[in-house]
Amino acid sequence: MSILSEIIKTVQERHEYLYELLIQHILLSLAAIVIITGIGLATGIGILYKPKFRSPILGTVNFLYTIPSIAMFGLFIPLIGIGYGNALVVLIIYGLLPVIRNTYTGLNEVDPLLLDAAKGMGATPWQIFSRIRWPLAFPTILSGFRTMVVMTIALAGLASFIGAGGLGQAIYRGINTNNSSLILVGSIAVALLALAADLGIGAIEKSLKTKAKKQNKKSRFLKYFGLGIFALLFIFMLLSKPGNSSGKKIVVATKPTAEQYILGEIISQLIENKTDIQVVRKFGIGGGTSNIHPAMLKGEIDIYPEYTGTAWLFVLKKPQINHPDSLFSALKAEYAKQFNFDWVCRLGFNNTFTLALPEAVAQNKNINTFSELAHQSNSFIFGAEFDFFEREDGFIGLNKIYPFNFKNKVELDVNLKFQALENHTVDVINAFSTDSRIRQMKLRVLKDDKLFFPAYQAGIVIRNETQQKYPELNGLFSRLEGLINDTAMLQMNYEVEIEKKSPGEVALTFLKANGLIN
């Protein structure tokens, strides 16, 4: 199947999902653009008349502009949390520089002779500003506005990293599920939206620069084309789907993996089918537990799938408990006591950490266990996701038990590890036992012979406040208890990652096959 036909198929099959993301992207971008414009124009005009503030303000916005955007999103998580508010603040910060700079530059570069002439004719300061400075500076100001708009629309694509939605979610989901057509659809949509805005503003800019006293049809078209673009954006807003009439809403979040997308859809579709509660999906949140758990504490998220080992070692930072049932009982009690969260069920499969390398290499080097790998580790490059190197239940703790001395360690996105292994960028990776790509790439899963990794049984965590608010949720998830074994989860992951099915489709099939929904 050609790339074009795959893109068309993806749009046809997921048009509702993509439409929803488009609306989210437009709303976020428009809100940021309006606020940036107001603050930027006021600040640009202010530093024109208040020179003592000029250097500090321009220096500050220039400095903020140099901070990598992904880092800025992360920096605001402790202060603002995840979601829309965080994304809006970051977009505003990045958009201020071109507006402030161009506003000040345009107003400041007006010919002083014109200003002196106006003063000599008795013009008031307001008349000088409104009739001379502003009209002459407007093309420069509009140019800065144009740059800001395009940049804001493009940068809004990163908002999905912190659960703020938008078209970037399609890109991020495509990366996380190894779906190249979804990546292309999301990327093309962002590019087209930015291009449409750029062409519209450019048309207005061009029409303002024309010296013709009478506008012909073409110039009139150019003048109003940009206004038409923005009118269409507002129409999209008006046509966006309203929420359910009951006003009930619950936020379901997931980490950025195919498995988590599937589990998130199972949870969401079960709620939607059995209750009248509207589900807001915040799937694929970057940083996983480290960002989702604080958001749960703040009430920004109501429910998400988690793993027992991660919760016990990474969140609670407790000593390891090897027996799965004892671990779950202790975990359930601690979560209720410390966070007022409830582990409502265990789904049945154990997605524990493991280490893997190509079967041919393992066979050649006679490596079957973690200890055997440790003895030869100076010959290998190890790759893992960023947070694995920071976690006590990750490389820090693992290296205390097994004396690894890898030739090099590479930090990369959780979903790029297998590509790095395939491209020989790394030789060994950490993996999850239910990852379908282990089977696809014929990797050897090594035995944890000293039993470092605890059980990572998947379960569902929900805020007790949410259960009290919506009593119809009580008992709903108990129907999922022990329903998904390792083989079933591996198969569902394979369907999403290898066969390119959507997580929603796979989840629906599972729910129907098990009689959970009609």
Side-chain angles (χ1 to χ4, degrees):
M1 186 181 293
S2 67
I3 294 178
L4 180 59
S5 60
E6 287 184 359
I7 291 175
I8 294 173
K9 181 181 178 182
T10 298
V11 173
Q12 290 175 338
E13 292 179 348
R14 307 196 186 194
H15 62 278
E16 291 187 1
Y17 169 68
L18 293 170
Y19 177 79
E20 182 181 355
L21 297 185
L22 176 63
I23 296 300
Q24 293 173 357
H25 202 105
I26 291 171
L27 290 174
L28 176 61
S29 299
L30 276 177
I33 289 167
V34 170
I35 297 172
I36 292 167
T37 302
I39 297 175
L41 289 176
T43 305
I45 295 170
I47 62 176
L48 176 72
Y49 293 104
K50 300 290 184 180
K52 65 179 180 179
F53 297 113
R54 191 175 304 156
S55 294
I57 289 176
L58 289 177
T60 300
V61 294
N62 270 290
F63 170 73
L64 292 174
Y65 194 73
T66 63
I67 300 175
S69 55
I70 199 70
M72 189 75 80
F73 283 117
L75 288 172
F76 278 103
I77 288 176
L79 300 174
I80 304 174
I82 64 169
Y84 182 86
N86 185 323
L88 185 62
V89 170
V90 173
L91 292 180
I92 291 170
I93 289 173
Y94 274 93
L96 285 175
L97 178 60
V99 178
I100 293 175
R101 185 174 55 194
N102 279 45
T103 300
Y104 166 72
T105 301
L107 294 171
N108 188 56
E109 290 184 348
V110 173
D111 192 339
L113 294 177
L114 294 175
L115 302 178
D116 291 338
K119 290 178 183 178
M121 296 177 66
T124 65
W126 169 248
Q127 289 174 328
I128 293 173
F129 176 82
S130 61
R131 297 185 183 183
I132 299 177
R133 279 193 186 274
W134 181 261
L136 293 175
F138 190 71
T140 303
I141 296 171
L142 186 60
S143 178
F145 175 77
R146 179 181 184 180
T147 300
M148 179 271 292
V149 168
V150 174
M151 183 180 66
T152 299
I153 293 173
L155 189 58
L158 292 176
S160 61
F161 178 78
I162 53 167
L167 291 166
Q169 183 173 310
I171 301 171
Y172 203 42
R173 180 178 288 200
I175 293 172
N176 295 334
T177 59
N178 197 29
N179 189 332
S180 57
S181 63
L182 192 57
I183 297 172
L184 286 171
V185 169
S187 302
I188 292 170
V190 173
L192 289 176
L193 191 60
L195 181 61
D198 183 60
L199 289 174
I201 300 171
I204 297 175
E205 192 175 5
K206 184 175 181 180
S207 69
L208 291 174
K209 290 181 179 179
T210 183
K211 295 181 179 180
K213 293 182 180 180
K214 291 185 177 181
Q215 293 183 323
N216 54 30
K217 292 182 179 180
K218 181 178 179 181
S219 63
R220 284 198 301 269
F221 168 77
L222 292 174
K223 180 176 181 178
Y224 295 108
F225 179 76
L227 296 176
I229 292 294
F230 284 101
L232 287 175
L233 297 182
F234 280 106
I235 290 173
F236 272 123
M237 292 166 54
L238 295 174
L239 292 177
S240 59
K241 296 181 179 179
N244 65 358
S245 57
S246 70
K248 298 179 177 179
K249 184 175 70 172
I250 189 169
V251 178
V252 177
T254 75
K255 305 176 189 182
T257 65
E259 180 170 290
Q260 285 272 309
Y261 283 124
I262 296 167
L263 297 179
E265 282 292 343
I266 289 174
I267 295 169
S268 301
Q269 291 184 34
L270 189 59
I271 294 172
E272 291 170 334
N273 186 265
K274 297 300 181 181
T275 73
D276 62 347
I277 302 172
Q278 176 193 2
V279 175
V280 178
R281 291 165 170 80
K282 290 192 175 183
F283 290 0
I285 292 178
T289 301
S290 58
N291 287 332
I292 295 176
H293 182 76
M296 286 275 288
L297 291 171
K298 292 181 179 180
E300 297 173 332
I301 293 170
D302 296 293
I303 186 169
Y304 82 109
E306 184 57 282
Y307 303 96
T308 56
T310 300
W312 186 254
L313 296 174
F314 181 66
V315 177
L316 297 175
K317 303 186 186 302
K318 297 283 189 177
Q320 181 173 323
I321 297 177
N322 288 323
H323 193 280
D325 293 337
S326 299
L327 171 60
F328 185 71
S329 297
L331 184 62
K332 190 174 177 69
E334 286 293 329
Y335 260 58
K337 178 182 177 182
Q338 294 193 32
F339 312 125
N340 200 25
F341 295 170
D342 185 19
W343 279 78
V344 289
C345 71
R346 283 180 290 178
L347 298 170
F349 67 93
N350 181 25
N351 188 5
T352 187
F353 274 120
T354 186
L355 301 180
L357 70 165
E359 177 64 35
V361 176
Q363 188 173 356
N364 181 51
K365 299 286 187 178
N366 193 26
I367 298 175
N368 297 285
T369 66
F370 286 15
S371 293
E372 291 172 349
L373 174 64
H375 292 151
Q376 303 183 55
S377 58
N378 59 359
S379 301
F380 297 100
I381 298 174
F382 176 68
E385 63 270 21
F386 305 104
D387 68 327
F388 185 77
F389 290 99
E390 291 293 323
R391 297 164 56 148
E392 285 294 334
D393 64 333
F395 191 79
I396 295 174
L398 183 67
N399 207 38
K400 294 176 182 177
I401 304 299
Y402 299 97
F404 291 118
N405 184 31
F406 290 110
K407 182 167 56 177
N408 191 18
K409 296 187 291 289
V410 178
E411 300 181 30
L412 30 72
D413 185 81
V414 64
N415 298 288
L416 299 179
K417 293 184 298 185
F418 290 91
Q419 292 183 25
L421 192 62
E422 191 173 28
N423 295 334
H424 305 292
T425 303
V426 299
D427 307 305
V428 183
I429 60 171
N430 74 317
F432 301 104
S433 56
T434 57
D435 199 308
S436 62
R437 286 167 289 190
I438 290 175
R439 184 175 71 179
Q440 181 198 29
M441 295 179 61
K442 298 180 180 179
L443 304 180
R444 177 176 292 187
V445 175
L446 303 181
K447 182 180 179 181
D448 182 7
D449 51 306
K450 294 183 181 179
L451 302 178
F452 168 74
F453 289 120
Y456 284 84
Q457 294 179 314
I460 297 175
V461 183
I462 186 170
R463 301 175 74 246
N464 279 325
E465 290 181 12
T466 302
Q467 292 194 98
Q468 293 166 5
K469 183 177 181 180
Y470 303 122
E472 56 265 50
L473 294 175
N474 294 330
L476 180 64
F477 302 112
S478 61
R479 303 173 66 184
L480 293 171
E481 180 73 38
L483 200 59
I484 309 174
N485 59 29
D486 290 7
T487 302
M489 194 69 249
L490 182 62
Q491 177 60 32
M492 287 193 284
N493 287 338
Y494 188 87
E495 290 175 9
V496 170
E497 294 177 325
I498 310 304
E499 296 180 354
K500 309 303 181 188
K501 294 181 181 179
S502 72
E505 176 188 358
V506 172
L508 181 62
T509 301
F510 167 81
L511 290 168
K512 287 184 175 180
N514 287 276
L516 295 174
I517 64 175
N518 300 323

